[in-house]
Amino acid sequence: MSCGGRRLKGWKQLQPFAAALLFAGLSNATVAEEGRKPPKPPIILESTGAYEVGGKVVAKPGDPSQTLSCDHGYVEYFIPAKRRSVGLIMWHSSSTKVWENRWDGGEGYKSIFLRRGYPVYLWDGPRVGRANWSCEPITYTPDYFDQRNFAAWRFGLTHLNWHPGLQFPTADKEAWNQATRARYDEFDTLENALLQAEAGGQAIDKIGPVIAVTNSAGGWRALLSALKAKSGNMKGIVAYETPGFVFPEGEGPAPKPDAPYGPNAVPLAEFMKLTKFPIQMVFGDYTDTRPIWKTSVEVAKTFCDIVNRHGGDCEVLLLPDAGLRGNTHIAFADLNNEAVADELSKWLGRKGLDKFAAE
């Protein structure tokens, strides 16, 4: 009894200490639970797949019995089980990788908008990526792009001298490795843009109601594709940092058909197709540090003024004006891409493009 009594007495002496430990443990567990993000809902797909669209068939010189099917585009699609009535065709100017993940490996626009119920279509235009079966000879000459990418994508003024406050994992060497490899060879000429627009217009006709979400020169190609499409399926364009534009003849900057990204001019009757759906031109931070992007912002404002003067609906969004700072040329792959996606969702809602198919 005396032995048992001593154990009981010792426990009573330890009770306050044990209670404090238990409370601390519960408190820490509560803090950890509160700090943990709620799990994301699973992505449930009705279907996924891919197909080629557009292109032509050419006969072998001297032997017309031999042919080549070429210059088509490639569409990879993901259809949610509970889907909205308008899809998003994501059109890159580097590689589809930029839509699939953040630079640090986090969730990219493809998954973000699938979770939000939008059918997603990843597009490779003719002669790039998974659609590189060209009807004409293509010569690949290795060039030294890494340092140029760093400056052109506005990670910093010079290689590895990062902008302060950048929405990029600057201490993560693998993130930079992934970013600099996220490129296909591309051909930024009016001839190639028109070639891609032929297939792009046919893709829009085949997909159904769709909004083009584009990056860089993909925006120029999407504008041209909207002019080539025979249907009214193009329901909007959201262009992240396009340097290329289309203007009606006699309005806007003088055409530069031989320059990368144009601009090029079309008859007013053709240009009027771009007034039939809403357009948003989006730019990230640090645009004043690179002449091409400073100029692109100003030309985008001119483009929107002309679209609106002809009865259209076009706006320019500077992400810093929305309170989002530190974004690069590829804002939708930056660390804050959820917040960037929220701005797109707001625009889709304002334009009535967020309805579910059953509504």
Side-chain angles (χ1 to χ4, degrees):
M1 291 291 294
S2 60
C3 184
R6 282 196 297 272
R7 285 200 299 269
L8 181 60
K9 182 179 179 181
W11 166 244
K12 288 180 178 178
Q13 290 173 339
L14 288 171
Q15 272 184 317
F17 180 66
L21 284 176
L22 179 61
F23 179 79
L26 289 173
S27 297
N28 288 338
T30 301
V31 170
E33 188 66 31
E34 288 177 352
R36 189 182 302 133
K37 292 182 178 179
K40 293 180 178 179
I43 297 173
I44 302 175
L45 297 179
E46 174 189 287
S47 61
T48 182
Y51 52 82
E52 282 75 27
V53 63
K56 57 186 177 181
V57 178
V58 295
K60 182 179 180 179
D63 184 1
S65 66
Q66 303 296 306
T67 59
L68 174 64
S69 300
C70 48
D71 280 353
H72 49 267
Y74 179 93
V75 177
E76 184 179 15
Y77 62 86
F78 306 84
I79 312 299
K82 188 175 188 301
R83 55 165 295 181
R84 299 183 193 259
S85 58
V86 178
L88 307 178
I89 181 169
M90 297 183 178
W91 194 321
H92 64 84
S93 188
S94 52
S95 82
T96 57
K97 171 68 169 61
V98 296
W99 303 112
E100 293 172 304
N101 290 102
R102 284 191 327 225
W103 298 126
D104 66 345
E107 194 164 74
Y109 253 36
K110 181 186 81 172
S111 294
I112 288 173
F113 280 96
L114 282 174
R115 291 187 193 280
R116 298 183 186 191
Y118 290 92
V120 170
Y121 304 84
L122 298 183
W123 168 252
D124 279 332
R127 303 187 182 181
V128 298
R130 295 166 292 181
N132 72 345
W133 212 229
S134 173
C135 293
E136 297 177 357
I138 294 177
T139 301
Y140 171 71
T141 303
D143 205 346
Y144 299 90
F145 269 100
D146 291 357
Q147 288 70 32
R148 274 185 280 170
N149 282 349
F150 189 92
W153 292 356
R154 299 199 311 283
F155 293 161
L157 293 178
T158 56
H159 187 232
L160 298 184
N161 292 311
W162 309 92
H163 282 306
L166 194 73
Q167 293 287 344
F168 186 95
T170 57
D172 186 345
K173 292 183 179 179
E174 179 56 22
W176 166 240
N177 179 51
Q178 290 296 313
T180 195
R181 294 180 187 279
R183 293 299 303 263
Y184 301 153
D185 202 12
E186 61 182 274
F187 310 92
D188 289 319
T189 64
L190 177 59
E191 179 184 15
N192 179 263
L194 291 171
L195 169 73
Q196 293 199 355
E198 287 288 346
Q202 292 180 54
I204 293 163
D205 292 338
K206 181 178 177 68
I207 289 170
V210 70
I211 298 145
V213 181
T214 73
N215 181 229
S216 200
W220 185 33
R221 290 165 167 83
L223 291 169
L224 293 170
S225 296
L227 300 181
K228 296 291 185 181
K230 294 179 170 57
S231 66
N233 286 342
M234 184 70 98
K235 299 303 181 184
I237 295 177
V238 176
Y240 288 93
E241 303 218 352
T242 181
F245 298 88
V246 182
F247 289 97
E249 292 172 343
E251 300 185 57
K256 297 180 180 178
D258 296 327
Y261 320 120
N264 66 296
V266 297
L268 177 59
E270 188 175 355
F271 180 84
M272 289 297 290
K273 294 180 182 178
L274 302 180
T275 69
K276 306 304 181 185
F277 49 80
I279 300 172
Q280 186 182 57
M281 302 281 179
V282 185
F283 293 88
D285 211 342
Y286 319 109
T287 52
D288 286 347
T289 66
R290 297 287 298 176
I292 184 174
W293 301 120
K294 183 177 182 180
T295 299
S296 294
V297 170
E298 296 308 312
V299 178
K301 292 176 180 178
T302 300
F303 171 81
C304 282
D305 286 345
I306 292 173
V307 169
N308 294 339
R309 189 164 66 241
H310 289 290
D313 178 2
C314 185
E315 65 182 55
V316 175
L317 171 64
L318 306 180
L319 290 177
D321 290 346
L324 302 180
R325 299 202 170 271
N327 283 109
T328 70
H329 176 54
I330 306 177
F332 48 85
D334 286 338
L335 292 173
N336 66 340
N337 68 345
E338 285 271 7
V340 178
D342 289 344
E343 293 302 317
L344 174 51
S345 287
K346 291 175 188 175
W347 183 86
L348 292 167
R350 290 198 305 272
K351 304 305 175 184
L353 297 170
D354 60 345
K355 304 294 187 294
F356 280 91
E359 294 180 2

